Amino acid sequence: MAGLPMDQRDGWIWFDGELKPWKDAKIHVLTHGLHYASSVFEGERAYGGEIFKSREHSERLIRSAAMLDMPFPYSVDEIEAAKRLVLEKNGLVDAYVRPVAWRGSEELSVPARNNKVHVAIAAWVWPSYFSVEEKLKGIRLEWSKWKRPSPETIPSAAKAAGLYMICTLSKDAAMANGYADALMLDYRGYVAEATGANVFFIKGKEITTPTPDCFLNGITRQTLIALAKENGYTVTERHILPEELGQFDECFLTGTAAEVTPVSLIGDVTFTPGEGCRTLIDAYAAAVQPKQVAAAE
């Protein structure tokens, strides 16, 4: 995402029910969402002109807003139509799509019931980070000093902006130390997730992944669990202690941006991306582009 600043790009953004020129899609500096994190969002990818699991993302956006007590002003169908319009207006086929909802600037105080909920949708070109060959080298992760909090302290099932502050701190620190990302523990000391992706471990034909009881159960995560089972793997969701990682052979991350990204190192534990990672990279690539697969057949 380096290069031209996000606010200086050209194109169109859907903003509260209408298309606006990209550079005119602005909010006031005293917006509640900026000061108190009353904001939820989605990260989605369009492949071949079709947004993968689009409706599931729209449903989760509205569900996240409800968890933050934000009355959502549009239906799932309206959000779906708006996303298609944004892709069409911007002439995009393969793109990243970002819907976001936030409370406005009517009042600036902790309570927010008098603040209007706004919604915007933007899309831009954001290619995969690596080729399959590069991915299979694996990325290096360090342990984050920040932990995912208890669900009793924050609505952890929501894709809420405030939940990502410790992710920003963790990833910035990891990159400053020469790593690609950080792996976070939860408040109990179990393995949780990376800063913007879920984590899986492979040993033979068995895959183990942390139980998402205090962090987001990603849509890509759920997709990979289904694909793994279709490809002959057993999948176990359970609490994993950091000292268990040495028993696994392979590791990978999943997320809209990460897609399926193998890991070669977590702290001082090494992994060798192999058959499992390659199988799931290929399976996911086929799943997200059904039109191209059907045409090839």
Side-chain angles (χ1 to χ4, degrees), residues 147-154 156 163 166 185-187 214-215:
K147 295 183 177 181
R148 291 255 57 108
S150 163
E152 295 177 330
T153 66
I154 197 165
S156 56
L163 284 163
I166 56 176
L185 300 177
D186 69 17
Y187 64 102
C214 64
F215 56 88

Side-chain angles (χ1 to χ4, degrees), residues 76-243:
V76 170
D77 287 341
E78 288 172 318
I79 294 301
E80 287 293 288
K83 287 191 287 189
R84 290 191 296 270
L85 181 62
V86 167
L87 288 177
E88 179 183 347
K89 184 68 174 179
N90 287 289
L92 296 171
V93 176
D94 297 308
Y96 182 81
V97 182
R98 172 57 64 94
V100 59
W102 68 96
R103 288 191 182 273
S105 53
E106 285 76 13
E107 295 180 6
L108 190 63
S109 59
V110 172
R113 290 188 174 274
N114 294 326
N115 291 58
K116 178 181 176 180
V117 175
H118 300 270
V119 182
I121 302 170
W124 60 92
V125 175
W126 189 359
S128 297
Y129 291 131
F130 311 107
S131 67
V132 173
E133 290 70 25
E134 289 172 323
K135 278 188 174 184
L136 285 169
K137 295 176 183 177
I139 62 171
R140 300 168 66 251
L141 310 182
E142 75 168 358
W143 290 105
S144 171
K145 72 174 185 178
W146 301 99
K147 295 183 177 181
R148 291 255 57 108
S150 163
E152 295 177 330
T153 66
I154 197 165
S156 56
K159 195 170 178 67
L163 284 163
Y164 282 80
M165 188 64 249
I166 56 176
C167 298
T168 297
L169 291 169
S170 299
K171 185 151 188 172
D172 281 351
M175 294 177 70
N177 291 330
Y179 295 87
D181 202 349
L183 191 65
M184 307 177 78
L185 300 177
D186 69 17
Y187 64 102
R188 299 160 296 193
Y190 294 123
V191 174
E193 60 177 352
T195 60
N198 294 120
V199 65
F200 290 78
F201 302 96
I202 305 175
K203 185 171 182 62
K205 297 296 286 187
E206 298 179 1
I207 294 178
T208 305
T209 187
T211 303
D213 55 3
C214 64
F215 56 88
L216 201 65
N217 182 11
I219 290 173
T220 309
R221 176 186 184 275
Q222 296 170 50
T223 300
L224 260 296
I225 288 175
L227 290 173
K229 291 177 179 178
E230 290 173 11
N231 282 273
Y233 290 86
T234 60
V235 180
T236 301
E237 299 178 70
R238 67 172 177 85
H239 294 140
I240 304 170
L241 290 167
E243 52 265 35

Side-chain angles (χ1 to χ4, degrees), residues 135-141 143 182-183 191-194 197-204 206-210 240 245-254 260-267 269-278 280-281:
K135 278 188 174 184
L136 285 169
K137 295 176 183 177
I139 62 171
R140 300 168 66 251
L141 310 182
W143 290 105
L183 191 65
V191 174
E193 60 177 352
N198 294 120
V199 65
F200 290 78
F201 302 96
I202 305 175
K203 185 171 182 62
E206 298 179 1
I207 294 178
T208 305
T209 187
I240 304 170
L245 298 194
Q247 71 183 1
F248 301 110
D249 300 322
E250 298 181 67
C251 174
F252 63 91
L253 305 180
T254 65
V260 180
T261 298
V263 174
S264 62
L265 179 76
I266 300 175
V269 180
T270 59
F271 304 92
T272 303
E275 180 184 350
C277 286
R278 179 175 283 279
L280 294 171
I281 288 171

Side-chain angles (χ1 to χ4, degrees), residues 19-41:
L19 287 171
K20 287 190 174 183
W22 189 288
K23 294 174 185 176
D24 293 340
K26 299 177 181 179
I27 59 174
H28 196 272
V29 70
L30 297 180
T31 293
H32 195 277
L34 176 62
H35 292 259
Y36 296 107
S38 53
S39 174
V40 296
F41 68 97

Side-chain angles (χ1 to χ4, degrees), residues 44-57:
E44 312 175 29
R45 274 192 189 268
Y47 297 88
E50 195 171 316
I51 299 172
F52 184 62
K53 298 290 180 77
S54 180
R55 194 169 188 88
E56 290 181 35
H57 281 286

